[in-house]
Amino acid sequence: MSSASVSSSETDPTFGMFTCAHGAEGIVKKNIAEKGWRLSFSRPGFVTAKHDEATTLPTDIFIRTASKSLGSGKSGDADELIDRLIEKLSGLPLPFDQLHVWPRDRAPIGRFDFEPGSDEVSLAVATRILERLGPDHLRCATANDVAQPSDRVLDVVLVDPSHWFFGMHTASTLPTRWPGGVQPVAPEHEPISRAYYKAAEAIAWSGFDLRPGDLAVEVGSAPGGACGRLLEMGLDVIGIDPAQMDPRIANHPRFRHYAARAGDLPRRIYRGAKWLLVDSTVKPDATLSTVRNIVESRETSIRGCLITMKLGDYERASQIPRWCREVQRWRPEKIEIRHLARNRCEVCFAVTLPK
């Protein structure tokens, strides 16, 4: 063999399967195509693609999960599909550390109260897969546990109850450790609104070190879902919103409410605040202008911002690079952007500012 020769493992194609929010599959296909991936199959919230070379799976703001595809099966009999899965696992290093089973999003986030994550069907499927595969294939005793870093995860996505796709990935970042890329959250009390889950996911994904006693400010706080998460974590919280807060938040001893718009308040209101959360129903450019005026003030010392940028439709994702350039003018230490599992048609900017 000449020195220019390569092994087949270096030239074999790579097959990937990706989940995203229902409606975001178009922007996912566009973005991965620019990286050399060719579409194989798609449904709302789910995409498979092929790359002609051995390569790593692509990352993207709108990709919720990415797995190396092992193929698929279609049958009305779950055991026939599990037989198909077992065939696909032949020749792979076994056992896997974790099993994650979940359905693709059946509707846009929030429509008809839809929320992403496991449902009764996928949980029943996961139980049956565990029974059939056993310890020879899986180290885990239960399905859909949060994976540990470096765990090898067997993924099963129910595109439909009778149409399953199989894949695998290695857990690394926090979202890749969550089953289906959806953070498991167990609230202490019934959340006031779904903003609780958005805030919980944004805080965890960002890696911001929020600690009890820190002061956080939320712009667009009513009725108080995100504030509820912050208070639950032991923070002191200022809520800014012309609308009324839920009494459970308004009467909390560690909460203060300013019934005003953020831009109308003096900057001293933000004095001592370490964290800033913004989720207002205003246009992104206006949101960035408000945040810039806060973080650039001499009276503030904000360390981290979690900013929800409303898209309206996924075509406006083309504006994200421009918004990112605007944030760069604040001279941040780091900017990360993600379409969170709990986001509707919006993205979250996690901005770390210098001390």
Side-chain angles (χ1 to χ4, degrees):
M1 182 179 292
S2 70
S3 60
S5 298
V6 295
S7 68
S8 60
S9 63
E10 294 174 316
T11 58
D12 286 345
T14 303
F15 297 89
M17 67 180 197
F18 313 97
T19 62
C20 60
H22 188 293
E25 62 282 346
I27 189 66
V28 168
K29 289 188 282 188
K30 175 181 178 295
N31 290 347
I32 65 175
E34 293 173 354
K35 300 174 183 178
W37 290 80
R38 293 188 286 114
L39 175 67
S40 298
F41 172 90
S42 73
R43 291 291 184 273
F46 184 80
V47 175
T48 69
K50 173 184 176 181
H51 198 288
D52 291 331
E53 299 176 0
T55 186
T56 56
L57 294 171
T59 57
D60 186 78
I61 291 169
F62 294 94
I63 291 177
R64 187 184 300 162
T65 68
S67 310
K68 288 187 177 180
S69 178
L70 302 175
S72 65
K74 197 170 186 178
S75 172
D77 186 311
D79 280 314
E80 287 184 6
L81 290 168
I82 296 172
D83 289 339
R84 178 71 169 166
L85 170 59
I86 293 171
E87 291 175 8
K88 293 296 184 181
L89 297 180
S90 177
L92 293 177
L94 298 172
F96 283 89
D97 299 302
Q98 301 288 343
L99 170 66
H100 287 174
V101 183
W102 71 96
R104 70 179 174 96
D105 287 9
R106 68 175 184 270
I109 307 299
R111 182 175 293 179
F112 309 117
D113 295 325
F114 171 74
E115 296 293 340
S118 299
D119 57 10
E120 290 184 5
V121 173
S122 61
L123 291 174
V125 167
T127 298
R128 185 58 180 155
I129 291 174
L130 279 169
E131 292 172 351
R132 288 285 311 277
L133 267 61
D136 289 341
H137 292 83
L138 296 166
R139 288 194 177 93
C140 55
T142 57
N144 287 358
D145 291 335
V146 175
Q148 297 302 307
S150 300
D151 274 359
R152 293 176 64 245
V153 184
L154 176 60
D155 296 322
V156 179
V157 180
L158 278 58
V159 172
D160 288 306
S162 60
H163 193 186
W164 305 356
F165 276 76
F166 318 122
M168 60 183 184
H169 78 276
T170 300
S172 53
T173 63
L174 190 53
T176 68
R177 296 168 55 195
W178 296 332
V182 181
Q183 181 194 25
V185 183
E188 292 182 7
H189 307 285
E190 181 67 25
I192 290 164
S193 70
R194 65 184 307 276
Y196 173 98
Y197 297 100
K198 287 173 58 176
E201 182 182 358
I203 292 165
W205 158 71
S206 70
F208 288 168
D209 186 21
L210 279 69
R211 299 186 180 186
D214 286 352
L215 177 60
V217 177
E218 189 192 9
V219 175
S221 57
C227 291
R229 178 58 175 175
L230 294 166
L231 291 167
E232 185 179 273
M233 295 175 68
L235 279 76
D236 296 328
V237 182
I238 293 174
I240 299 174
D241 200 307
Q244 290 186 344
M245 303 295 296
D246 185 282
R248 288 170 288 176
I249 301 298
N251 297 329
H252 197 286
R254 286 187 279 105
F255 179 77
R256 283 180 287 160
H257 179 216
Y258 291 92
R261 298 185 184 279
D264 296 335
L265 292 172
R267 296 296 170 259
R268 66 175 181 274
I269 296 298
Y270 304 90
R271 192 178 297 157
K274 191 173 182 179
W275 312 106
L276 178 66
L277 286 73
V278 182
D279 190 359
S280 300
T281 55
V282 298
K283 293 181 179 180
D285 289 317
T287 294
L288 291 181
S289 178
T290 296
V291 177
R292 183 185 67 246
N293 290 335
I294 295 170
V295 301
E296 291 186 345
S297 170
R298 294 181 179 180
E299 295 194 67
T300 64
S301 54
I302 303 293
R303 182 76 181 101
C305 303
L306 293 171
I307 310 168
T308 299
M309 303 288 280
K310 309 292 186 180
L311 297 176
D313 61 70
Y314 287 105
E315 291 184 0
R316 285 186 58 80
S318 62
Q319 298 297 310
I320 291 175
R322 182 176 66 81
W323 298 333
C324 192
R325 289 192 296 272
E326 174 63 27
V327 176
Q328 288 285 6
R329 295 177 183 173
W330 311 345
R331 298 185 179 180
E333 291 182 357
K334 184 170 67 171
I335 304 172
E336 292 188 282
I337 309 168
R338 182 172 173 83
H339 186 221
L340 302 175
R342 300 289 184 172
N343 277 148
R344 297 188 183 186
C345 193
E346 56 197 12
V347 295
C348 181
F349 276 57
V351 183
T352 304
L353 297 168
K355 295 181 181 179

